[in-house]
Coordinates of all heavy atoms in Angstrom, one line a residue:
S1127 N 4.3 156.5 105.5 CA 3.5 157.5 106.2 C 2.1 157.3 106.4 O 1.4 158.0 107.1 CB 3.8 158.9 105.5 OG 3.2 158.8 104.1
G1128 N 1.5 156.3 105.7 CA 0.1 156.1 105.7 C -0.6 156.0 104.3 O -1.7 155.6 104.1
W1129 N 0.2 156.4 103.4 CA -0.4 156.4 101.9 C -0.8 155.0 101.5 O -1.7 154.9 100.8 CB 0.6 157.1 101.0 CG 0.6 158.6 101.0 CD1 1.6 159.5 101.2 CD2 -0.6 159.5 100.8 NE1 1.2 160.7 101.1 CE2 -0.1 160.8 100.9 CE3 -1.9 159.3 100.6 CZ2 -1.0 161.9 100.7 CZ3 -2.8 160.3 100.5 CH2 -2.3 161.7 100.5
A1130 N 0.0 154.1 101.8 CA -0.2 152.7 101.3 C -1.5 152.2 101.8 O -2.3 151.6 101.0 CB 0.9 151.8 101.8
E1131 N -1.9 152.5 103.0 CA -3.2 152.1 103.5 C -4.3 152.7 102.7 O -5.3 152.1 102.3 CB -3.4 152.5 105.0 CG -2.5 151.6 105.9 CD -1.2 152.1 106.1 OE1 -0.6 152.9 105.4 OE2 -0.6 151.8 107.3
F1132 N -4.1 154.0 102.4 CA -5.1 154.7 101.6 C -5.2 154.2 100.2 O -6.4 153.9 99.7 CB -4.8 156.3 101.6 CG -5.7 157.1 100.8 CD1 -7.0 157.3 101.2 CD2 -5.4 157.6 99.6 CE1 -7.9 158.1 100.5 CE2 -6.2 158.3 98.7 CZ -7.5 158.6 99.2
T1133 N -4.2 154.1 99.5 CA -4.2 153.6 98.1 C -4.6 152.2 98.0 O -5.2 151.8 97.0 CB -2.9 153.9 97.4 OG1 -1.8 153.4 98.0 CG2 -2.7 155.5 97.2
D1134 N -4.3 151.4 99.0 CA -4.8 150.0 99.0 C -6.3 150.0 99.1 O -7.0 149.2 98.4 CB -4.3 149.2 100.2 CG -2.8 148.7 99.9 OD1 -2.3 149.0 98.8 OD2 -2.3 148.0 100.8
A1135 N -6.8 151.0 99.8 CA -8.3 151.0 100.0 C -8.9 151.5 98.6 O -10.0 151.0 98.3 CB -8.6 152.0 101.1
V1136 N -8.2 152.3 97.9 CA -8.6 152.7 96.6 C -8.8 151.6 95.6 O -9.8 151.3 95.0 CB -7.7 153.8 96.0 CG1 -8.0 154.1 94.5 CG2 -7.7 155.1 96.8
I1137 N -7.7 150.7 95.7 CA -7.7 149.6 94.8 C -8.8 148.6 95.2 O -9.6 148.1 94.3 CB -6.4 148.8 94.9 CG1 -5.2 149.7 94.3 CG2 -6.4 147.5 94.1 CD1 -3.8 149.3 94.6
K1138 N -9.0 148.4 96.5 CA -10.1 147.5 96.9 C -11.4 148.1 96.6 O -12.4 147.3 96.2 CB -9.9 147.4 98.5 CG -10.8 146.3 99.2 CD -10.2 145.0 98.8 CE -10.8 143.9 99.8 NZ -12.3 143.9 99.8
K1139 N -11.7 149.3 96.7 CA -13.0 150.0 96.3 C -13.2 149.7 94.9 O -14.4 149.4 94.5 CB -13.0 151.4 96.7 CG -13.2 151.7 98.1 CD -14.7 151.4 98.6 CE -14.9 151.9 100.0 NZ -16.3 151.5 100.4
I1140 N -12.2 149.9 94.0 CA -12.4 149.7 92.6 C -12.8 148.2 92.4 O -13.7 147.9 91.6 CB -11.1 150.1 91.8 CG1 -10.9 151.5 91.9 CG2 -11.3 149.6 90.3 CD1 -9.5 151.9 91.4
S1141 N -12.1 147.3 93.0 CA -12.3 145.9 92.9 C -13.8 145.5 93.3 O -14.5 144.8 92.6 CB -11.3 145.1 93.6 OG -11.6 143.7 93.6
D1142 N -14.2 146.1 94.5 CA -15.4 145.7 95.0 C -16.6 146.3 94.3 O -17.7 145.6 94.1 CB -15.5 146.2 96.5 CG -14.6 145.4 97.5 OD1 -14.1 144.3 97.0 OD2 -14.4 145.9 98.6
E1143 N -16.5 147.6 93.8 CA -17.7 148.3 93.3 C -17.7 148.4 91.8 O -18.7 148.9 91.3 CB -17.7 149.6 94.0 CG -17.8 149.6 95.5 CD -18.1 150.9 96.2 OE1 -18.5 151.8 95.5 OE2 -17.9 151.0 97.4
K1144 N -16.7 148.0 91.1 CA -16.7 148.1 89.7 C -16.5 146.6 89.1 O -16.3 145.7 89.9 CB -15.6 149.0 89.2 CG -15.9 150.5 89.5 CD -14.8 151.4 89.0 CE -15.0 151.7 87.5 NZ -16.1 152.6 87.3
K1145 N -16.6 146.5 87.8 CA -16.3 145.3 87.1 C -15.6 145.5 85.8 O -15.8 146.5 85.2 CB -17.6 144.3 86.9 CG -18.6 145.0 86.0 CD -19.8 144.1 85.9 CE -20.8 144.6 85.0 NZ -22.0 143.8 84.8
G1146 N -14.8 144.5 85.3 CA -14.1 144.6 84.0 C -13.0 145.6 84.0 O -12.6 145.9 82.8
V1147 N -12.5 146.1 85.1 CA -11.3 146.9 85.1 C -10.0 146.2 84.7 O -9.9 145.0 85.2 CB -11.2 147.7 86.4 CG1 -9.9 148.6 86.5 CG2 -12.5 148.5 86.6
V1148 N -9.2 146.8 84.0 CA -7.9 146.2 83.6 C -6.8 146.8 84.5 O -6.6 148.0 84.5 CB -7.6 146.4 82.1 CG1 -6.2 145.7 81.7 CG2 -8.7 145.9 81.2
F1149 N -6.2 145.9 85.3 CA -5.1 146.3 86.2 C -3.8 146.0 85.6 O -3.5 144.8 85.3 CB -5.2 145.7 87.6 CG -6.4 146.2 88.4 CD1 -7.7 145.7 88.2 CD2 -6.2 147.2 89.4 CE1 -8.8 146.1 89.0 CE2 -7.3 147.6 90.1 CZ -8.6 147.0 89.9
L1150 N -2.9 147.0 85.4 CA -1.5 146.7 84.8 C -0.6 146.8 86.0 O -0.4 147.9 86.6 CB -1.2 147.9 83.8 CG -2.2 147.9 82.6 CD1 -1.7 148.9 81.6 CD2 -2.4 146.6 81.9
L1151 N 0.0 145.7 86.3 CA 0.9 145.5 87.5 C 2.3 145.3 86.9 O 2.7 144.2 86.5 CB 0.5 144.4 88.4 CG -1.0 144.4 88.8 CD1 -1.3 143.3 89.8 CD2 -1.3 145.8 89.5
W1152 N 3.1 146.3 87.0 CA 4.5 146.3 86.4 C 5.5 146.2 87.7 O 5.7 147.2 88.4 CB 4.8 147.5 85.6 CG 3.9 147.6 84.5 CD1 3.2 146.6 83.8 CD2 3.5 148.8 83.7 NE1 2.5 147.1 82.7 CE2 2.6 148.5 82.7 CE3 3.8 150.1 83.9 CZ2 2.1 149.3 81.7 CZ3 3.3 151.0 83.1 CH2 2.4 150.7 82.0
G1153 N 6.2 145.1 87.8 CA 7.2 144.9 88.8 C 6.6 144.4 90.1 O 5.4 144.4 90.2
K1154 N 7.4 143.9 91.0 CA 7.0 143.2 92.1 C 6.2 144.1 93.0 O 5.2 143.6 93.6 CB 8.2 142.7 92.9 CG 7.9 141.8 94.1 CD 9.0 141.3 94.9 CE 8.6 140.5 96.1 NZ 7.6 141.1 97.0
F1155 N 6.6 145.3 93.2 CA 5.8 146.2 94.1 C 4.3 146.3 93.7 O 3.4 146.1 94.5 CB 6.4 147.6 94.1 CG 5.7 148.6 95.0 CD1 6.0 148.6 96.4 CD2 4.7 149.3 94.5 CE1 5.4 149.5 97.3 CE2 4.0 150.2 95.4 CZ 4.3 150.3 96.7
A1156 N 4.0 146.5 92.4 CA 2.7 146.6 91.9 C 2.0 145.2 92.0 O 0.9 145.1 92.4 CB 2.7 147.1 90.5
Q1157 N 2.8 144.2 91.7 CA 2.2 142.8 91.7 C 1.8 142.4 93.1 O 0.9 141.5 93.3 CB 3.1 141.9 91.1 CG 3.2 142.1 89.6 CD 4.4 141.4 88.9 OE1 5.1 140.6 89.5 NE2 4.8 141.9 87.7
D1158 N 2.4 142.9 94.1 CA 1.9 142.6 95.5 C 0.6 143.1 95.8 O -0.1 142.7 96.8 CB 2.9 143.3 96.5 CG 4.3 142.5 96.6 OD1 4.3 141.4 96.1 OD2 5.3 143.1 97.1
K1159 N 0.1 144.0 95.0 CA -1.3 144.5 95.1 C -2.4 143.6 94.6 O -3.6 143.9 94.7 CB -1.4 145.9 94.5 CG -0.4 147.0 94.9 CD -0.5 147.3 96.4 CE 0.5 148.4 96.8 NZ 0.4 148.8 98.2
Q1160 N -1.9 142.6 93.9 CA -2.9 141.6 93.2 C -3.9 141.1 94.2 O -5.0 140.8 93.8 CB -2.1 140.6 92.5 CG -2.9 139.7 91.6 CD -2.0 138.7 90.8 OE1 -0.8 138.8 90.8 NE2 -2.6 137.9 90.0
V1161 N -3.4 140.9 95.5 CA -4.3 140.2 96.5 C -5.5 141.1 96.8 O -6.5 140.6 97.3 CB -3.5 140.0 97.8 CG1 -2.5 139.0 97.6 CG2 -3.0 141.3 98.4
L1162 N -5.5 142.4 96.4 CA -6.6 143.3 96.6 C -7.7 143.3 95.5 O -8.7 143.8 95.7 CB -6.1 144.7 96.8 CG -5.1 145.0 97.8 CD1 -4.4 146.4 97.6 CD2 -5.6 144.9 99.2
I1163 N -7.4 142.5 94.5 CA -8.2 142.5 93.2 C -9.0 141.2 93.1 O -8.4 140.2 93.1 CB -7.3 142.8 92.0 CG1 -6.5 144.1 92.1 CG2 -8.2 142.8 90.7 CD1 -5.3 144.2 91.2
D1164 N -10.2 141.4 92.9 CA -11.1 140.2 92.6 C -11.0 139.8 91.2 O -11.6 140.4 90.3 CB -12.5 140.5 93.0 CG -13.5 139.3 92.8 OD1 -13.0 138.3 92.2 OD2 -14.7 139.4 93.2
E1165 N -10.2 138.8 90.8 CA -9.9 138.4 89.5 C -11.1 137.6 88.9 O -10.9 137.3 87.7 CB -8.6 137.6 89.4 CG -7.4 138.5 89.8 CD -6.1 137.8 89.6 OE1 -5.7 137.4 88.5 OE2 -5.4 137.5 90.7
T1166 N -12.1 137.4 89.6 CA -13.3 136.8 89.0 C -14.1 137.8 88.1 O -14.9 137.4 87.3 CB -14.2 136.1 90.0 OG1 -14.8 137.1 90.9 CG2 -13.5 135.1 90.9
K1167 N -13.9 139.1 88.4 CA -14.5 140.1 87.7 C -13.7 141.2 87.1 O -14.2 142.1 86.5 CB -15.7 140.7 88.5 CG -15.3 141.3 89.8 CD -16.4 142.0 90.5 CE -16.0 142.7 91.8 NZ -17.1 143.6 92.3
H1168 N -12.5 141.1 87.3 CA -11.5 142.1 86.8 C -10.4 141.4 86.0 O -10.2 140.1 86.1 CB -10.9 143.0 87.8 CG -11.9 143.8 88.6 ND1 -12.6 144.9 88.0 CD2 -12.5 143.6 89.8 CE1 -13.4 145.4 88.9 NE2 -13.3 144.6 90.0
F1169 N -9.5 142.2 85.3 CA -8.4 141.5 84.5 C -7.1 142.0 85.1 O -7.0 143.2 85.3 CB -8.5 141.9 83.1 CG -9.9 141.6 82.4 CD1 -10.9 142.5 82.4 CD2 -10.1 140.3 81.9 CE1 -12.1 142.2 81.8 CE2 -11.3 140.0 81.5 CZ -12.3 140.9 81.3
V1170 N -6.2 141.2 85.3 CA -4.8 141.6 85.8 C -3.8 141.2 84.8 O -3.7 140.0 84.3 CB -4.5 140.9 87.2 CG1 -3.1 141.1 87.5 CG2 -5.5 141.4 88.2
L1171 N -3.0 142.1 84.2 CA -1.9 141.9 83.4 C -0.6 142.3 84.1 O -0.5 143.4 84.6 CB -2.0 142.8 82.1 CG -3.2 142.6 81.2 CD1 -3.2 143.6 80.0 CD2 -3.4 141.2 80.8
K1172 N 0.3 141.3 84.1 CA 1.6 141.5 84.9 C 2.8 141.5 84.0 O 2.8 140.7 83.0 CB 1.7 140.4 86.0 CG 0.6 140.4 87.0 CD 0.9 139.5 88.2 CE 0.8 138.0 87.8 NZ 1.0 137.1 88.9
A1173 N 3.8 142.3 84.3 CA 5.0 142.3 83.6 C 6.1 142.8 84.5 O 5.8 143.4 85.5 CB 4.9 143.2 82.3
A1174 N 7.4 142.8 84.0 CA 8.5 143.4 84.7 C 8.2 144.9 84.7 O 7.5 145.5 83.9 CB 9.8 143.1 84.0
H1175 N 8.9 145.6 85.6 CA 8.8 147.1 85.7 C 9.5 147.7 84.5 O 10.5 147.1 84.0 CB 9.5 147.5 87.0 CG 9.2 149.0 87.3 ND1 9.9 150.0 86.8 CD2 8.3 149.5 88.1 CE1 9.4 151.2 87.3 NE2 8.4 150.9 88.1
P1176 N 9.0 148.8 84.0 CA 9.7 149.4 82.8 C 11.0 150.1 83.1 O 11.6 150.7 82.2 CB 8.6 150.4 82.3 CG 7.8 150.8 83.5 CD 7.7 149.4 84.3
S1177 N 11.5 150.1 84.3 CA 12.8 150.6 84.6 C 13.9 150.1 83.8 O 13.8 148.9 83.3 CB 13.1 150.3 86.1 OG 14.5 150.4 86.3
P1178 N 14.9 150.9 83.4 CA 16.0 150.3 82.6 C 16.7 149.1 83.2 O 17.3 148.3 82.5 CB 17.0 151.5 82.6 CG 16.2 152.7 82.8 CD 15.1 152.3 83.7
F1179 N 16.5 148.9 84.5 CA 17.1 147.8 85.2 C 16.3 146.5 84.9 O 16.8 145.3 85.2 CB 17.2 148.0 86.7 CG 18.0 149.2 87.1 CD1 17.4 150.4 87.5 CD2 19.4 149.2 87.0 CE1 18.2 151.5 87.9 CE2 20.2 150.3 87.3 CZ 19.6 151.5 87.7
S1180 N 15.1 146.6 84.5 CA 14.3 145.4 84.4 C 13.4 145.3 83.1 O 12.8 144.3 82.9 CB 13.4 145.2 85.6 OG 12.6 146.4 85.8
A1181 N 13.3 146.4 82.3 CA 12.4 146.4 81.2 C 12.7 145.2 80.2 O 11.7 144.7 79.6 CB 12.6 147.7 80.4
D1182 N 13.9 144.8 80.1 CA 14.2 143.7 79.1 C 14.0 142.3 79.8 O 14.2 141.3 79.1 CB 15.7 143.8 78.6 CG 16.7 143.7 79.8 OD1 16.3 143.7 80.9 OD2 17.9 143.7 79.4
K1183 N 13.4 142.3 81.0 CA 13.1 141.0 81.6 C 11.6 140.7 81.6 O 11.1 139.9 82.4 CB 13.5 141.0 83.1 CG 15.1 141.2 83.3 CD 15.5 141.2 84.7 CE 17.0 141.2 84.8 NZ 17.6 142.4 85.3
G1184 N 11.0 141.3 80.7 CA 9.5 141.0 80.5 C 8.6 142.1 80.2 O 7.4 141.9 79.9
F1185 N 9.1 143.4 80.4 CA 8.2 144.5 80.1 C 8.2 144.6 78.6 O 7.1 144.8 78.0 CB 8.6 145.7 80.8 CG 7.8 147.0 80.4 CD1 6.5 147.1 81.0 CD2 8.2 147.9 79.5 CE1 5.7 148.1 80.7 CE2 7.3 148.9 79.1 CZ 6.1 149.0 79.8
F1186 N 9.3 144.7 78.0 CA 9.4 144.8 76.5 C 8.7 143.5 76.0 O 9.2 142.4 76.3 CB 10.8 145.0 76.0 CG 11.3 146.3 76.3 CD1 12.7 146.5 76.7 CD2 10.5 147.5 76.2 CE1 13.2 147.7 76.9 CE2 11.1 148.8 76.5 CZ 12.4 148.9 76.8
G1187 N 7.8 143.7 75.1 CA 7.1 142.5 74.4 C 5.9 142.1 75.2 O 5.2 141.1 74.8
S1188 N 5.5 142.7 76.2 CA 4.4 142.3 77.1 C 3.0 142.6 76.3 O 2.1 142.0 76.6 CB 4.4 143.0 78.4 OG 4.3 144.4 78.3
K1189 N 3.1 143.6 75.4 CA 2.0 144.0 74.7 C 0.8 144.4 75.5 O -0.4 144.2 75.2 CB 1.6 142.9 73.6 CG 2.7 142.6 72.6 CD 2.1 141.7 71.5 CE 3.3 141.4 70.5 NZ 3.7 142.6 69.8
H1190 N 1.0 145.1 76.7 CA 0.0 145.3 77.6 C -1.0 146.4 77.0 O -2.2 146.4 77.4 CB 0.5 145.8 78.9 CG 0.8 144.7 79.8 ND1 1.2 144.9 81.2 CD2 0.9 143.4 79.6 CE1 1.4 143.8 81.7 NE2 1.3 142.7 80.8
F1191 N -0.6 147.2 76.1 CA -1.5 148.3 75.6 C -2.4 147.8 74.6 O -3.6 148.1 74.7 CB -0.5 149.4 75.0 CG 0.4 149.9 76.1 CD1 1.7 149.4 76.1 CD2 0.1 150.8 77.0 CE1 2.6 149.8 77.1 CE2 1.0 151.3 78.0 CZ 2.2 150.8 78.1
S1192 N -2.0 146.9 73.7 CA -3.0 146.3 72.8 C -3.9 145.3 73.6 O -5.1 145.2 73.3 CB -2.3 145.5 71.7 OG -1.4 144.5 72.2
K1193 N -3.3 144.6 74.5 CA -4.2 143.6 75.3 C -5.2 144.3 76.1 O -6.4 143.9 76.2 CB -3.2 142.8 76.2 CG -2.4 141.8 75.5 CD -1.4 141.0 76.4 CE -0.6 140.0 75.8 NZ 0.3 139.3 76.6
T1194 N -4.9 145.5 76.7 CA -5.8 146.2 77.5 C -7.0 146.7 76.5 O -8.2 146.5 77.0 CB -5.1 147.5 78.0 OG1 -4.2 147.1 78.9 CG2 -6.1 148.5 78.6
N1195 N -6.7 147.1 75.4 CA -7.8 147.6 74.4 C -8.6 146.4 74.0 O -9.8 146.6 73.8 CB -7.2 148.3 73.3 CG -6.8 149.8 73.6 OD1 -7.2 150.3 74.7 ND2 -6.1 150.5 72.8

Side-chain angles (χ1 to χ4, degrees):
S1127 62
W1129 279 127
E1131 289 90 337
F1132 178 73
T1133 52
D1134 280 0
V1136 170
I1137 295 167
K1138 190 77 165 53
K1139 282 290 186 182
I1140 295 170
S1141 178
D1142 290 348
E1143 299 189 19
K1144 297 181 74 72
K1145 63 180 180 179
V1147 174
V1148 183
F1149 290 84
L1150 304 184
L1151 307 183
W1152 298 334
K1154 183 182 184 305
F1155 180 87
Q1157 289 163 17
D1158 285 345
K1159 306 296 184 182
Q1160 189 171 357
V1161 296
L1162 303 168
I1163 303 163
D1164 183 350
E1165 294 182 66
T1166 66
K1167 59 175 183 168
H1168 298 287
F1169 305 97
V1170 172
L1171 299 180
K1172 296 190 290 185
H1175 194 276
S1177 158
F1179 300 107
S1180 54
D1182 60 356
K1183 297 184 172 104
F1185 179 77
F1186 290 140
S1188 62
K1189 299 188 180 298
H1190 276 187
F1191 303 94
S1192 60
K1193 289 177 180 177
T1194 293
N1195 281 347

